[in-house]
Amino acid sequence: MTPNNLKKTPLCAACEAAGGKMVDFHGWLLPVQFDSILAEHKAVREGAGMFDVSHMGQVFVEGPESWKFLQYVNTNQIKNTPAAGTYSHLTDEQGRIIDDAISFCLTPEKFLVVVNAACIDTDVAWFKKHAAGFDVTITDDSARWGMIALQGPQALAQAANLIEGVQEMPRFAIKEITLFGAPGYVTRTGYTGEDGVEIMASPEAIVKVWDALLQAGVKPCGLGARDVLRLEAGYLLNGVDADGRQTPYEAGCGWVVKLMKENFIGKPALQAQKAAGLRRRLTGFVLTGAGVPRGGCKVFKDGAEVGVLTSGTYSPLFKGIAVGYADMALQEGDAVEIEVHGRKIPAKKTKTPFYKNRV
């Protein structure tokens, strides 16, 4: 696919003007980096960085049974208190992850669900398929919004220059705002392991937000730094660490499964899996030798293959880090080898997250 055929976010021109190196990301033209990935990583860990995440999806669920519907299609207990958000997984009848999403309660009868870019069409179709019998309306409003993720120890202070009261927002909260004369939302989540916010506004207003943050000294950051940061923080990358074959338990996210709920899609399968136990689970590894692990690399212990990586990278904090699905028999600190370009590099099993955030 050529750049001319790729979808462009409202911030595409601004990213290019800021020196962004643009690449194809699931059919979107997005910046992989502006400066070096190391410099962008440092900005987020020590100051403030911003990411164009306008490719993410915004789906509105409205109607008297909005909460009841979201309870049914999500594994987690969805909060129905206005301004509260809930991270959860959408699973199929076999308990396999379709997507991970955050449902924000605007009112008990109106929710904003933020979904992954590559899953927008799939998620909307899934919602509509299962909305039968519920008094709800599903609206894909993704094209009407631009979105900036502002992350880092100084992110809230920077956001406060544009948004009154943002520093008082609790984690996973949502607030309706007006920016440059346009309605919008600010949410306080993140995908980097640092504190921060996501700002959603109209395509015209989000460009003004970007320009204001840029002038204030916030560093623009790309997909490269974002992947390193999220892996350090132990966050799941849907489509990579969960590719439609794994359950939340296998992906190390059993905490999002609330089996005490009366009913949700995939509950019987997840109950059965929990009772039977797992054979493999998403596991963290740190290289103790020189090398950069990548998805697809095999993991060996005592000469036998015991797993395969899904994500791996060079971390400025920890050198080579990776996650992958490995045998449950592996214990914390076990010595293993990871095969990179035909060479087996010493590593050890470790807990995730690699980086404990300060949030």
Side-chain angles (χ1 to χ4, degrees):
M1 187 176 288
T2 66
N4 290 333
N5 294 327
L6 296 175
K7 290 179 282 188
K8 296 181 180 180
T9 75
L11 289 168
C12 186
C15 288
E16 290 176 323
K21 180 182 177 183
M22 312 301 283
V23 299
D24 178 354
F25 182 77
H26 296 295
W28 290 87
L29 188 62
L30 289 170
V32 65
Q33 63 188 86
F34 294 84
D35 196 345
S36 71
I37 291 176
L38 291 178
E40 292 170 21
H41 174 280
K42 179 181 174 69
V44 175
R45 287 282 179 249
E46 299 180 8
M50 60 179 174
F51 304 82
D52 177 12
V53 291
S54 303
H55 56 301
M56 299 288 284
Q58 288 83 19
V59 181
F60 285 90
V61 178
E62 300 176 74
E65 295 187 312
S66 295
W67 177 75
K68 183 179 178 182
F69 168 74
L70 288 171
Q71 282 280 85
Y72 178 64
V73 296
N74 279 278
T75 59
N76 207 348
Q77 180 76 24
I78 302 300
K79 296 173 184 173
N80 61 350
T81 305
T86 310
Y87 172 84
S88 183
H89 287 177
L90 311 174
T91 59
D92 64 15
E93 289 82 356
Q94 287 73 47
R96 299 171 302 199
I97 300 168
I98 296 171
D99 196 8
D100 56 346
I102 304 178
S103 297
F104 294 100
C105 179
L106 300 172
T107 74
E109 295 190 4
K110 184 178 181 180
F111 287 75
L112 168 58
V113 185
V114 178
V115 303
N116 283 300
C119 301
I120 295 173
D121 293 343
T122 301
D123 290 356
V124 171
W126 185 255
F127 283 173
K128 290 183 175 180
K129 174 183 176 181
H130 292 282
F134 292 93
D135 190 358
V136 295
T137 301
I138 313 296
T139 305
D140 177 9
D141 212 30
S142 307
R144 292 186 57 243
W145 299 95
M147 187 174 177
I148 292 172
L150 175 59
Q151 297 281 293
Q154 297 173 16
L156 286 182
Q158 291 284 2
N161 294 325
L162 297 171
I163 304 166
E164 185 178 354
V166 69
Q167 290 174 301
E168 287 72 52
M169 290 176 63
R171 288 282 291 167
F172 277 84
I174 187 168
K175 181 177 182 178
E176 295 188 64
I177 57 174
T178 300
L179 281 170
F180 300 101
Y185 297 100
V186 60
T187 60
R188 192 174 171 191
T189 65
Y191 193 57
T192 63
E194 299 295 341
D195 207 350
V197 296
E198 295 76 37
I199 302 168
M200 285 173 267
S202 69
E204 297 77 20
I206 204 69
V207 174
K208 295 177 181 178
V209 174
W210 177 277
D211 290 342
L213 292 172
L214 198 61
Q215 290 174 14
V218 176
K219 194 172 189 65
C221 303
L223 296 166
R226 189 170 171 81
D227 193 53
V228 176
L229 292 159
R230 72 90 192 166
L231 187 53
E232 287 178 344
Y235 291 127
L236 195 72
L237 180 57
N238 193 66
V240 175
D241 300 320
D243 62 7
R245 295 179 293 174
Q246 300 85 11
T247 69
Y249 289 126
E250 291 167 333
C253 297
W255 61 274
V256 305
V257 180
K258 299 298 189 289
L259 293 175
M260 77 285 292
K261 286 169 56 174
E262 182 178 356
N263 190 28
F264 61 86
I265 298 172
K267 179 179 177 178
L270 291 168
Q271 279 181 313
Q273 185 178 62
K274 185 175 183 180
L278 302 177
R279 292 189 300 170
R280 286 196 167 194
R281 185 176 183 271
L282 195 66
T283 302
F285 299 96
V286 175
L287 266 61
T288 54
V292 180
R294 298 296 184 192
C297 292
K298 295 179 179 180
V299 182
F300 296 86
K301 179 172 175 55
D302 300 327
E305 183 180 334
V306 294
V308 62
L309 303 184
T310 53
S311 292
T313 192
Y314 170 81
S315 160
L317 302 179
F318 306 99
K319 308 302 182 185
I321 60 173
V323 295
Y325 287 90
D327 292 351
M328 292 293 291
L330 280 182
Q331 300 296 311
E332 182 74 18
D334 274 0
V336 297
E337 292 179 309
I338 295 176
E339 189 175 63
V340 180
H341 299 306
R343 183 169 63 94
K344 290 182 178 178
I345 301 173
K348 64 178 181 180
K349 180 185 182 299
T350 187
K351 289 182 180 179
T352 58
F354 302 97
Y355 171 79
K356 281 285 188 182
N357 62 55
R358 297 184 286 249
V359 178

